[in-house]
Amino acid sequence: DVVMTQSPLSLPVTLGQPASISCRSSQSLVYSDGNTYLNWFQQRPGQSPRRLIYKVSNRDSGVPDRFSGSGSGTDFTLKISRVEAEDLGVYYCMQGTYWPYTFGQGTKLEIK
Amino acid sequence: EVQLVESGGGLVQPGGSLRLSCAASGFTVSSNYMSWVRQAPGKGLEWVSVVYSGGTTYYADSVKGRFTISRDNSKNTLYLQMDSLRAEDTAVYYCSRDSSYWGQGTLVTVSS
């Protein structure tokens, strides 16, 4: 199985400041069709996961533009330009290139 | 509007069975890839099973041979038949449409 490793696992942030989460896969996530199926999810306390980013850098509908995704191959990053209170929660990267699809361990974004 | 509503969770003894349902509206289940993802209490996300529009199915090794994913096109509903349940299957089970839409989840507790 493809192992997804996130860092850090805990990210204390100051509101209004930027934040960055790293995700590394144990093998390249480039699929045979040329696409890289790396997604980012947000899970607020008590809520279902919500997809923020698909195929590395595409924001889902309704996702604020302060969220951005980047990366290639095995190294990926989710950035929040200015953290707001509603951004607190756990963030997961997930690969959809190989079955079984796998998630990272999750990064808990919390107020410093 | 896309909606996914899971049901069927509950308390079951080890070795028992449950069938989860995911009633979909706003789209056609058979035209999309549909998944079940679970989250054990206080833990991360685990992809359990997927069924593609063409009917191909995949299962995580942890549930292979015990769980069966299916869909009823006439009811526009996705199912997860869970047999030979174990304590480690205790989790909130989410239904998802191509990882972009998620239900609210249904809790399955396996305990004597």
Side-chain angles (χ1 to χ4, degrees):
Chain A
D1 298 1
V2 176
V3 177
M4 306 297 289
T5 303
Q6 290 182 227
S7 63
L9 299 185
S10 177
L11 184 55
V13 295
T14 301
L15 296 180
Q17 293 300 304
S20 180
I21 300 171
S22 172
C23 176
R24 185 164 292 177
S25 58
S26 59
Q27 61 189 86
S28 172
L29 298 185
V30 180
Y31 189 55
S32 54
D33 62 3
N35 288 308
T36 300
Y37 294 96
L38 185 284
N39 303 327
W40 287 96
F41 294 85
Q42 174 195 61
Q43 189 173 32
R44 293 170 173 151
Q47 294 189 13
S48 302
R50 170 198 182 194
R51 196 177 71 182
L52 301 174
I53 302 285
Y54 63 96
K55 287 193 286 186
V56 182
S57 59
N58 298 276
R59 262 191 311 275
D60 273 280
S61 175
V63 174
D65 61 7
R66 63 179 180 274
F67 289 93
S68 64
S70 63
S72 64
T74 62
D75 288 298
F76 306 93
T77 303
L78 175 70
K79 292 183 178 178
I80 309 173
S81 58
R82 294 173 308 281
V83 173
E84 297 189 6
E86 66 178 17
D87 300 336
L88 302 181
V90 181
Y91 290 79
Y92 297 91
C93 60
M94 168 246 158
Q95 66 83 19
T97 299
Y98 306 99
W99 183 258
Y101 301 155
T102 46
F103 291 92
Q105 317 97 300
T107 295
K108 188 173 184 179
L109 191 71
E110 49 196 3
I111 293 177
K112 185 183 292 184
Chain B
E1 180 192 5
V2 171
Q3 280 198 321
L4 297 167
V5 180
E6 300 97 334
S7 62
L11 175 63
V12 62
Q13 292 188 338
S17 298
L18 275 179
R19 188 178 81 157
L20 306 183
S21 300
C22 172
S25 57
F27 71 100
T28 302
V29 164
S30 60
S31 299
N32 293 270
Y33 93 79
M34 301 293 297
S35 301
W36 288 98
V37 177
R38 68 184 180 184
Q39 186 169 36
K43 301 297 184 181
L45 298 164
E46 179 188 17
W47 220 284
V48 173
S49 182
V50 62
V51 55
Y52 289 97
S53 56
T56 300
T57 59
Y58 290 99
Y59 299 91
D61 285 346
S62 57
V63 307
K64 199 175 296 181
R66 300 187 299 122
F67 290 11
T68 304
I69 192 170
S70 64
R71 58 193 184 198
D72 184 330
N73 297 340
S74 66
K75 295 182 178 179
N76 209 34
T77 297
L78 179 74
Y79 300 101
L80 185 68
Q81 177 66 41
M82 304 187 297
D83 299 319
S84 302
L85 283 162
R86 306 166 180 169
E88 54 265 35
D89 296 318
T90 294
V92 173
Y93 284 74
Y94 296 101
C95 163
S96 172
R97 190 201 96 170
D98 54 54
S99 83
S100 59
Y101 294 93
W102 295 67
Q104 84 289 349
T106 186
L107 176 62
V108 172
T109 303
V110 184
S111 175
S112 55

